[in-house]
Amino acid sequence: MKLLLGIVRIVTALGTFGLAALALLALLGFAVPEFDLINHFQVLVFFGALLAVIVAILVFQGSRWKSWVTGAALAG
């Protein structure tokens, strides 16, 4: 069970950090045309970040990484 929880935590953390990186790159859409393409999907990134916050709070309950992963999701 611990192995499964560890895998779920790793996948959740990587997805959350990837989503936050996409959101931050979309903010640079005014400067780089390629990032402007990401900016057109801000609505999807927003709802994905909301979902990532909820999942991070549930999955990382009692973990020392909870504040880091939740903070990255909130930054997204």
Side-chain angles (χ1 to χ4, degrees):
M1 191 60 140
K2 282 189 173 188
L3 177 67
L4 181 63
L5 181 62
I7 292 171
V8 169
R9 283 183 175 173
I10 289 173
V11 169
T12 302
L14 289 176
T16 301
F17 288 127
L19 188 67
L22 275 176
L24 293 176
L25 288 176
L27 287 176
L28 298 174
F30 69 92
V32 181
E34 288 80 12
F35 294 162
D36 189 41
L37 291 173
I38 302 170
N39 196 21
H40 292 292
F41 296 105
Q42 276 292 341
V43 173
L44 296 176
V45 172
F46 173 73
F47 287 116
L50 284 178
L51 182 66
V53 169
I54 294 168
V55 170
I57 288 172
L58 293 175
V59 171
F60 285 93
Q61 192 69 30
S63 174
R64 64 181 177 166
W65 292 96
K66 180 180 179 182
S67 61
W68 286 96
V69 176
T70 306
L74 288 173

